[in-house]
Amino acid sequence: MKYEPVSDEIIRSERVDFAYEKIRLSNGLTVLVAPMKGYRTANAAYATAFGSVDQRFVLDGEEISLPAGVAHFLEHKMFESEEGDAFDRYAETGANANAYTGFERTCYVFGASDRVDESLDILLDTVSHPWFTEATVAKEQGIIGQEIRMYEDSPDWRLMFSVFDCLYFNCPLKQDIAGSVESIAKITPQLLYTCTRAFYNPSNMVLAVAGNITRDQVLAALGRADLPQGGAAVQKLPASEPEQIRERGATVEMAVSRPVLGLGFKERPRPAAERLRWEIMADLLGELLIGDITPLYRRLYDEGLVNSGFSTDVFIGEGYFCILFSGETRDPGAVRAALLDEIARLRREGIRQEDFELCRNLLYGEAVGGFESAESVAGALASLALRGEDLFAELELLATLTVEDLEGALKELLDEGRSATVLLRPAQSEDNGGCGCEKSEGEA
Amino acid sequence: MQRRELRGGAALTALPAEQFKTSRITINFILPSKRETATAFALLPNLLERCYAGCPDMTRLSRKLAALYGAALSADSSVQGENRVVTISVCGIRDQYALAGEPLSAEYADILFGTAFEPCIEQGSFDPAQVEIERQKLREQLEGEINNKRAYCVQQARRRFFGDAAAGIERNGYLGDLDRIDGRALAAAYDEMVRTARIEVLVLGADPQQVEARLLEHLDKIERAPAAMRPAVAMPPRPAETYREPVDAVQGKLCLMFTTGRPLSGQELDWMRLAGALLGGLPSSRLFRNVRERQSLCYYCACSYSQLTGALCIDSGIEPKNAQRAQQAILKELADLAGGPISEQELREAKTSYLGALGSVGDSLSSIEAWAFREILRGTFKTPQEVAGAIEATGAQEIRAVLSLFSLSVSYLLEGRGNPDEV
């Protein structure tokens, strides 16, 4: 075999009666295999620790700066090769393939109930052999330009990036994952090759496969694959970011029927080893403050100030940690004030044990539900491995966290002085007053 | 799939789900869709989901569900052809995964049957204060449909396509009717539902015998007069109509609605599954490959077919300046597939992909349930394996035969302002 296992361990959780194998290969690749009895489909996720926030790095002693959107652009382009489109190859095996880019990772996935070995070959081959030309890059700029415009019409997307823009001075989190039409116009084939050399090498990647699969199948596919050897020495350079926020708030007009409030808190970034714990504690605080078990949610719901779509989202990674409360409301000022009051009350009066246990159970149940689908297991395995965590870390943290832990976290988080408020306001346009459609008869 | 017809116009279907960490029980109430009760039935699930007699407070119910490890209770309303379907479902982790080994399954059934059969109705009315709160939420939802431009464009096209036909009755009801819906009207809608609806219960990972006993216990207390499910329909063909609606958005949306003129039946339904995959259901489909990838005329372009209404919907996200070209390209792909050659390789690949998707139906509770309920509504009761056999036997001639039945009825363009630099 070309790539020998240098370490191999079985990781098991009795809590959810689940096990998977973690293998480290001689070329640096981390391989995770989770056979799931009774499943017909195998799902694979091949991921690299290269996301939209990775815009500066040193490669072979040279500092490289990227325009926004390169990781996402690469995600699109990796499906092409000189021989054709990877989708054409997947069409022959019947696999359902896709890819996605986040702030810190890019992930290539497929699900297949038949001819899994061939689909694994396609996945490993596609992601290992980049091929870019001036013409194909130019064509992709057009397609991604349309994708960017589609997201510009999404209220949630606009709100989220507007909040990040208020909170951060330099952190690339504030830039759309896909970049902008202007930034992607700067992308060249050479730049893409530089990025694949830096990030698309085994030591920076994880292959996770779950469902109807065996360890031998995965290792055999890796034995057939022609992966890049070892890893280029790449060092990410995080943007320097002051502690304070950039702006207290902003108002954005767009075609929405009701105002949408975003209240974001810029938290102190945490070391990699602590991030999952802080993420879970922030999620729990969101539930304790304005989850649907709380009197605050009930009051705002009954007063017509929030609906069931009001949410808490947590974003945490290298150089950033943000907690965002958002949702539609007819009175953004009242909801913002109520939320800040509740944070102060909870800090003052403490967290009730009963409330803590309810929220803990709620998140625990969601985590158990995550083991239901091979697709979500493969995605979580890859994503957590890139963060240096194992699949059961969330369950264990939830089972062992205490009220005191959470009260300690609350002392450090959700400081109004480090918050920004964004309001999406319905555009004052005659287009929004109902259907202004025109009809023309005849053959279209 | 084990299906048992029970007394009182109800049936229970037990579906295999032993490999999963969660269990799920769903009750579907199916009754003829009517314009005059559409808004009441859109609102009713919101009242049912809030509380029930055994747990008569919304926050208490939320806390009860949270204690059960975030068990999910949902009540929803949909329109399936000429049927209104009210669906109440509960899903939660299995007993053995509870942190302290506490029993959970019996509680799930209590909550589900409480929600479905013991609503908080007093003296013939839901609580007026709660009704007002939920009415306002629905009002906001109806007023806010423009927020999701893709769904809004499809909805507008459907409205023009169905006109006043029963199959086009709005799932979420009508703004103009909202003020007339009070607690009594909702209680009357509830009574009509439990009295006249066909009831289909689906059980995944729970004990079907216990569920059956609980169901019959409730049904025996009701004087039932279940109505038959309404069969599939199709809109008649007509000259195509084109609509344009300006909207303050960057990207445009285009939705085309086609009709077969008659409901598809028998083998045609299986042919249509594969035809839809070839046309716009896969990344290798003609619409994706040719309209998006080769011509770069849209960001997305996909099709969906509804057996219960005979409607084919193709929707896409486009640059407004390309709207005309995109429509022509979409129509050309449909015409080429309906009248032109289909290579052996293309057909084989579409079959392989479709069979792969069929193979994965059994890998999640939601897809198992969705498959079973769709087959129940269609009255075909086929398993994925049976459909796989029919897909294998489908050839290019059958694809052409079924696609040539479609004619364009409505083209709806949501005309965004586009990229200012390119105007």
Side-chain angles (χ1 to χ4, degrees):
Chain A
M1 184 176 167
K2 276 187 281 188
Y3 317 108
E4 293 297 327
V6 293
S7 69
D8 194 339
E9 60 179 318
I10 293 174
I11 302 171
R12 185 183 301 280
S13 168
E14 299 304 329
R15 289 188 194 281
V16 280
D17 187 21
F18 199 95
Y20 67 95
E21 202 161 347
K22 181 178 182 181
I23 306 153
R24 182 94 173 165
L25 297 186
S26 52
N27 65 356
L29 183 69
T30 301
V31 182
L32 305 146
V33 187
M36 294 166 70
K37 199 176 165 193
Y39 284 71
R40 276 283 314 273
T41 311
N43 284 82
Y46 194 21
T48 170
F50 181 43
S52 68
V53 300
D54 299 311
Q55 294 185 8
R56 279 179 67 228
F57 57 91
V58 175
L59 180 66
D60 298 336
E62 185 190 355
E63 185 175 325
I64 314 279
S65 290
L66 303 177
V70 173
H72 173 262
F73 201 96
L74 259 183
E75 173 220 306
H76 276 235
K77 294 313 300 169
M78 292 303 285
F79 281 96
E80 283 182 352
S81 71
E82 205 159 1
E83 291 76 39
D85 190 325
F87 282 119
D88 291 340
R89 298 173 67 194
Y90 280 121
E92 286 179 25
T93 66
N96 182 13
N98 208 340
Y100 52 87
T101 308
F103 294 118
E104 296 199 301
R105 69 193 61 87
T106 309
C107 196
Y108 299 83
V109 299
F110 77 78
S113 55
D114 201 9
R115 297 172 68 178
V116 174
D117 296 343
E118 291 164 77
S119 295
L120 273 172
D121 291 344
I122 297 168
L123 176 70
L124 294 169
D125 183 45
T126 300
V127 182
S128 303
H129 296 100
W131 178 71
F132 317 115
T133 68
E134 297 284 351
T136 60
V137 166
K139 186 179 152 219
E140 206 63 38
Q141 282 162 340
I143 290 174
I144 295 177
Q146 291 186 44
E147 184 179 356
I148 291 168
R149 281 170 208 135
M150 183 176 77
Y151 279 105
E152 281 178 31
D153 290 333
S154 161
D156 293 343
W157 199 251
R158 285 279 292 276
L159 183 86
M160 180 174 77
F161 282 101
S162 299
V163 170
F164 293 159
D165 188 46
C166 288
L167 293 177
Y168 292 95
F169 288 86
N170 306 314
C171 179
L173 186 72
K174 64 194 278 175
Q175 288 163 326
D176 193 308
I177 288 171
S180 64
V181 172
E182 294 74 27
S183 73
I184 63 170
K186 296 174 189 158
I187 293 173
T188 62
Q190 189 50 48
L191 192 65
L192 296 179
Y193 280 119
T194 302
C195 291
T196 52
R197 197 157 61 84
F199 296 105
Y200 281 66
N201 63 67
S203 57
N204 201 47
M205 299 188 76
V206 169
L207 173 66
V209 194
N212 186 10
I213 193 74
T214 66
R215 172 189 196 272
D216 290 348
Q217 273 179 283
V218 177
L219 291 182
L222 285 161
R224 293 190 297 273
D226 178 23
L227 304 183
Q229 286 299 321
V234 62
Q235 183 196 350
K236 294 181 181 179
L237 299 174
S240 76
E241 180 66 35
E243 282 222 350
Q244 66 270 31
I245 59 167
R246 194 178 71 81
E247 275 184 46
R248 297 286 300 160
T251 300
V252 179
E253 281 201 354
M254 70 180 296
V256 290
S257 60
R258 289 160 53 80
V260 187
L261 168 71
L263 175 60
F265 292 84
K266 182 178 183 176
E267 308 295 354
R268 190 159 48 82
R270 307 289 163 169
E274 294 178 19
R275 281 182 203 144
L276 186 61
R277 181 181 172 84
W278 280 99
E279 184 177 357
I280 290 170
M281 290 195 294
D283 277 332
L284 282 167
L285 285 172
E287 291 295 338
L288 282 159
L289 286 162
I290 197 165
D292 64 4
I293 67 157
T294 63
L296 174 62
Y297 174 81
R298 177 61 179 277
R299 177 169 71 77
L300 296 175
Y301 183 93
D302 283 356
E303 289 174 3
L305 291 175
V306 298
N307 57 33
S308 57
F310 201 90
S311 64
T312 307
D313 295 291
V314 181
F315 307 88
I316 190 164
E318 187 62 46
Y320 63 89
F321 180 11
C322 170
I323 303 172
L324 171 61
F325 299 92
S326 64
E328 283 184 16
T329 173
R330 64 177 160 78
D331 191 344
V335 173
R336 178 181 181 278
L339 194 45
L340 291 173
D341 284 350
E342 185 63 8
I343 293 167
R345 188 197 67 77
L346 212 57
R347 208 172 262 142
R348 195 174 57 243
E349 296 178 9
I351 297 166
R352 291 171 55 204
Q353 179 70 27
E354 183 194 349
D355 292 348
F356 166 76
E357 284 175 13
L358 286 179
C359 294
R360 193 261 326 260
N361 279 13
L362 201 154
L363 263 59
Y364 189 86
E366 279 177 16
V368 172
F371 290 86
E372 189 99 337
S373 110
E375 183 179 4
S376 69
V377 169
L381 274 170
S383 170
L384 287 163
L386 289 176
R387 290 171 68 166
E389 302 281 359
D390 80 54
L391 190 61
F392 309 121
E394 183 182 3
L395 287 175
E396 293 308 316
L397 278 166
L398 281 167
T400 53
L401 273 176
T402 64
V403 174
E404 291 73 28
D405 292 330
L406 213 53
E407 286 178 338
L410 185 55
K411 285 181 187 156
E412 294 191 42
L413 303 177
L414 302 172
D415 174 1
E416 185 188 349
R418 291 164 59 82
S419 72
T421 307
V422 170
L423 176 62
L424 286 193
R425 197 168 61 190
Q428 299 301 308
S429 158
E430 59 192 30
D431 296 344
N432 296 320
C435 173
C437 68
E438 293 170 11
K439 174 186 170 188
S440 57
E441 302 277 349
E443 200 62 42
Chain B
M1 174 162 153
Q2 294 176 321
R3 190 164 184 280
R4 268 167 55 78
E5 193 69 32
L6 309 175
R7 60 181 179 266
L12 185 142
T13 304
L15 297 153
E18 289 314 306
Q19 69 269 43
F20 301 113
K21 309 287 182 201
T22 57
S23 64
R24 183 179 176 94
I25 316 169
T26 296
I27 301 181
N28 294 287
F29 295 91
I30 308 163
L31 64 167
S33 181
K34 290 185 276 189
R35 169 65 185 82
E36 59 271 25
T37 54
T39 310
F41 278 111
L43 193 53
L44 179 62
N46 300 1
L47 272 296
L48 296 177
E49 205 177 40
R50 278 183 73 108
C51 57
Y52 60 96
C55 188
D57 177 80
M58 181 173 132
T59 304
R60 254 182 70 195
L61 180 53
S62 295
R63 293 175 77 87
K64 189 178 175 89
L65 291 165
L68 296 168
Y69 297 89
L73 171 71
S74 67
D76 198 8
S77 181
S78 64
V79 172
Q80 306 284 347
E82 294 190 344
N83 299 290
R84 167 68 64 170
V85 181
V86 175
T87 302
I88 304 168
S89 194
V90 69
C91 181
I93 64 171
R94 293 190 173 206
D95 294 10
Q96 63 261 42
Y97 304 118
L99 275 171
E102 57 270 42
L104 308 170
S105 309
E107 296 257 26
Y108 299 154
D110 279 347
I111 292 170
L112 179 74
F113 285 107
T115 303
F117 294 109
E118 294 164 359
C120 292
I121 296 175
E122 287 183 14
Q123 298 177 331
S125 176
F126 282 94
D127 176 30
Q130 291 182 16
V131 171
E132 180 48 36
I133 291 164
E134 296 305 330
R135 199 163 53 181
Q136 184 57 24
K137 302 280 182 225
L138 182 56
R139 187 188 312 282
E140 289 165 8
Q141 188 185 343
L142 290 168
E143 289 172 347
E145 70 170 1
I146 193 158
N147 294 357
N148 182 336
K149 307 291 182 297
R150 181 175 182 175
Y152 175 73
C153 182
V154 172
Q155 195 58 27
Q156 289 286 70
R158 285 174 52 85
R159 285 173 185 138
R160 303 315 181 278
F161 179 79
F162 287 112
D164 294 331
I169 289 170
E170 299 273 343
R171 168 191 184 146
N172 294 327
Y174 299 84
L175 261 179
D177 291 356
L178 258 183
D179 287 338
R180 290 198 294 275
I181 309 296
D182 58 13
R184 290 196 176 281
L186 286 171
Y190 173 79
D191 284 343
E192 182 189 342
M193 179 181 87
V194 292
R195 201 169 45 79
T196 69
R198 166 89 197 157
I199 294 175
E200 292 285 346
V201 177
L202 295 109
V203 182
L204 297 96
D207 181 346
Q209 287 176 332
Q210 280 184 15
V211 174
E212 180 181 324
R214 298 285 298 272
L215 174 67
L216 290 175
E217 192 182 305
H218 285 284
L219 290 186
D220 287 346
K221 294 178 197 162
I222 301 165
E223 200 170 308
R224 297 258 301 147
M229 272 197 274
R230 304 297 296 266
V233 293
M235 297 302 293
R238 63 184 202 220
E241 292 174 349
T242 300
Y243 298 86
R244 299 162 78 94
E245 181 181 346
V247 66
D248 184 16
V250 180
Q251 194 181 58
K253 312 287 178 196
L254 176 68
C255 179
L256 306 180
M257 299 286 302
F258 303 80
T259 184
T260 45
R262 63 169 175 80
L264 299 183
S265 60
Q267 287 182 309
E268 288 174 335
L269 286 172
D270 294 319
W271 301 346
M272 189 57 213
R273 292 176 198 263
L274 192 58
L278 273 165
L279 177 63
L282 302 168
S284 56
S285 69
R286 296 242 180 140
L287 291 177
F288 189 89
R289 275 183 178 168
N290 295 339
V291 183
R292 178 190 136 125
E293 292 290 305
R294 295 212 174 106
Q295 300 176 66
S296 301
L297 285 172
C298 56
Y299 176 63
Y300 63 84
C301 188
C303 76
S304 61
Y305 169 72
S306 159
Q307 185 263 339
L308 290 172
T309 62
L312 175 70
C313 170
I314 299 178
D315 81 315
S316 58
I318 53 158
E319 278 290 318
K321 64 177 180 177
N322 290 335
Q324 194 63 29
R325 283 177 59 211
Q327 174 158 333
Q328 284 164 0
I330 291 167
L331 293 176
K332 180 176 183 305
E333 293 306 326
L334 177 58
D336 285 353
L337 204 51
I342 303 170
S343 73
E344 274 301 315
Q345 182 183 348
E346 186 181 14
L347 194 60
R348 191 186 66 241
E349 287 177 359
K351 283 184 185 181
T352 305
S353 290
Y354 199 88
L355 295 171
L358 286 175
S360 66
V361 166
D363 281 356
S364 85
L365 286 181
S366 55
S367 62
I368 293 171
E369 186 182 83
W371 176 277
F373 188 54
R374 193 160 50 237
E375 289 299 311
I376 288 168
L377 284 172
R378 289 179 167 199
T380 42
F381 306 106
K382 285 188 177 179
T383 63
Q385 291 72 30
E386 288 167 330
V387 170
I391 294 293
E392 293 274 21
T394 301
Q397 187 57 39
E398 286 80 20
I399 301 292
R400 284 192 285 267
V402 73
L403 285 180
S404 61
L405 295 172
F406 287 95
S407 64
L408 179 66
S409 298
V410 168
S411 162
Y412 202 96
L413 172 64
L414 207 58
E415 200 167 26
R417 65 178 182 274
N419 184 351
D421 299 338
E422 296 175 8
V423 172

